[in-house]
Amino acid sequence: MPRKRRTKEEWKATLEAQKVSGLTAPEYCAKHKIHLQTFYARKSDILKPWPKPNPKAWVKVSKDKTELTALSPQLSLHYQGVVINVLHSPEPEWLTDVIKGLAS
């Protein structure tokens, strides 16, 4: 049976429960069957302060106003009502594989 994953809120409650229990982290983890390394990792994740945003590191993004135009295909394959448009020059091996695939 897989173990249940704790949410961040559940880990916060677990950390607080260990703190008020008077038990050391190893004692608390042994009593509650929590892997000690996992306990310390979650404690580190939760107590770690978030880095403050640095506005100087931000990049200004602007919307490009150029419009995309439809590209004309270099190759069009028509087979039983299906059209495959290829916008670049395909490798001969690729084209052979496509034609063989359509024929099979």
Side-chain angles (χ1 to χ4, degrees), residues 32-103:
H32 295 279
K33 297 181 178 155
I34 300 171
H35 194 274
L36 188 58
Q37 286 179 311
T38 302
F39 179 86
Y40 283 131
R42 296 299 78 77
K43 183 176 180 180
S44 175
D45 290 345
I46 290 170
L47 298 180
K48 186 186 319 179
W50 284 87
K52 293 183 181 178
N54 180 359
K56 292 180 182 178
W58 292 7
V59 177
K60 184 175 182 175
V61 177
S62 61
K63 184 177 178 182
D64 187 5
K65 296 187 181 192
T66 59
E67 292 184 26
L68 296 176
T69 57
L71 299 174
S72 299
Q74 286 190 338
L75 175 68
S76 289
L77 297 173
H78 299 261
Y79 183 76
Q80 294 184 353
V82 175
V83 179
I84 300 173
N85 292 316
V86 182
L87 300 177
H88 59 85
S89 298
E91 293 292 324
E93 295 82 15
W94 178 85
L95 187 55
T96 303
D97 289 343
V98 170
I99 292 171
K100 284 180 183 176
L102 290 172

Side-chain angles (χ1 to χ4, degrees), residues 14 17-37 39-40:
T14 300
Q18 182 271 322
K19 189 176 178 181
V20 298
S21 73
L23 299 172
T24 65
E27 292 168 338
Y28 185 86
C29 289
K31 181 178 180 181
H32 295 279
K33 297 181 178 155
I34 300 171
H35 194 274
L36 188 58
Q37 286 179 311
F39 179 86
Y40 283 131

Side-chain angles (χ1 to χ4, degrees), residues 8-20:
K8 188 172 183 176
E9 295 306 315
E10 290 171 328
W11 273 110
K12 285 180 181 180
T14 300
L15 294 172
E16 184 61 29
Q18 182 271 322
K19 189 176 178 181
V20 298

